[in-house]
Amino acid sequence: MSEETPGFEEKPEVPADGTPEEPKAADSADTAEGAAPAGDSAAAAGRETALLAQLDQARTALNERTADLQRLQAEYQNYRRRVDRDRVTVKEIAVASLLTELLPTLDDIGRAREHGELVGGFKSVAESVETVAAKMGLQQFGKEGEPFDPTIHEALMHSYAPDVTETTCVAILQPGYRIGERTIRPARVAVAEPQPGAAAPKSEDSEESADKKDSE
């Protein structure tokens, strides 16, 4: 057996520069620990960019769908208004057509009333017909003495009169009828015009001027 010299222990080998070597495994572990946070940050940034891109796409799609919906709503409202307007027009045309066919009967009723023949059961029926026509919007117009209006009057007779200052309806041969603002038959009238060569009526101002000249 060999004897060990007391007081001496084995020491690890030291490089020539005097710096002790560290285990290589420890170096690789530290490198991995330092690289891991950087990789996680890059991945998180990539996921955030992708999510933002998807969000922008979703917003764009939402805006497009909202615009489509608003356009469809506007088109539907226009369609409803057009249908309602057409419905009213069709109804007015149908009512006007019906009442136009009824006008000769109303003329007969008017003539019978003028001659005192509207009596008994015939009077009741006639008044019922006139009431129904009025409920459907039929209005009679045309009066003696009103100015002649070619848009609502039809002149069947013409004469001159010294007591009129403009073309005037002097007789109503057939009354006119309208529904609302729509004329379904003009009033057929006899008109009179001022007498040719008749002096125009003097105004009050001209009369006062003449009085002043006479006084002077």
Side-chain angles (χ1 to χ4, degrees):
M1 295 180 62
S2 60
E3 295 180 0
E4 295 181 358
T5 304
F8 289 92
E9 295 179 357
E10 293 186 2
K11 297 181 180 180
E13 296 181 358
V14 179
D17 57 0
T19 303
E21 292 185 359
E22 295 180 357
K24 294 182 179 181
D27 292 341
S28 60
D30 293 342
T31 303
E33 290 177 358
D40 292 341
S41 299
R47 286 193 297 270
E48 182 178 358
T49 302
L51 290 175
L52 290 175
Q54 293 178 359
L55 180 60
D56 290 339
Q57 293 178 355
R59 286 175 177 172
T60 301
L62 177 61
N63 293 333
E64 292 176 353
R65 299 299 179 271
T66 302
D68 292 341
L69 179 59
Q70 292 174 345
R71 184 172 60 255
L72 288 175
Q73 288 178 338
E75 292 177 354
Y76 178 67
Q77 292 297 331
N78 292 334
Y79 168 76
R80 285 192 59 184
R81 284 193 291 267
R82 185 169 61 253
V83 169
D84 293 340
R85 185 172 60 250
D86 292 345
R87 185 182 295 113
V88 172
T89 301
V90 170
K91 180 181 178 180
E92 290 178 351
I93 292 174
V95 171
S97 178
L98 173 62
L99 293 177
T100 300
E101 297 296 328
L102 192 61
L103 294 185
T105 302
L106 296 175
D107 292 336
D108 292 338
I109 292 173
R111 283 190 291 268
R113 182 178 286 110
E114 291 176 358
H115 291 86
E117 299 175 357
L118 203 62
V119 294
F122 178 58
K123 178 181 179 181
S124 177
V125 173
E127 291 177 349
S128 297
V129 172
E130 291 176 334
T131 301
V132 171
K135 286 183 178 180
M136 296 178 70
L138 187 66
Q139 299 175 352
Q140 186 182 101
F141 66 90
K143 295 181 180 179
E144 295 182 5
E146 63 185 7
F148 175 75
D149 184 351
T151 61
I152 60 174
H153 297 135
E154 181 181 353
L156 300 182
M157 299 177 64
H158 178 271
S159 63
Y160 295 96
D163 57 343
V164 297
T165 59
E166 60 180 340
T167 304
T168 305
C169 301
V170 294
I172 306 299
L173 306 178
Q174 274 187 335
Y177 289 96
R178 67 165 63 98
I179 301 175
E181 299 298 326
R182 180 179 180 179
T183 300
I184 63 175
R185 191 183 76 181
R188 292 165 181 168
V189 300
V191 299
E193 294 184 9
Q195 193 73 30
K202 295 181 180 180
S203 63
E204 295 180 358
D205 294 338
S206 62
E207 291 178 357
E208 291 178 359
S209 299
D211 293 339
K212 288 182 181 179
K213 288 182 180 179
D214 293 339
S215 62
E216 291 176 356

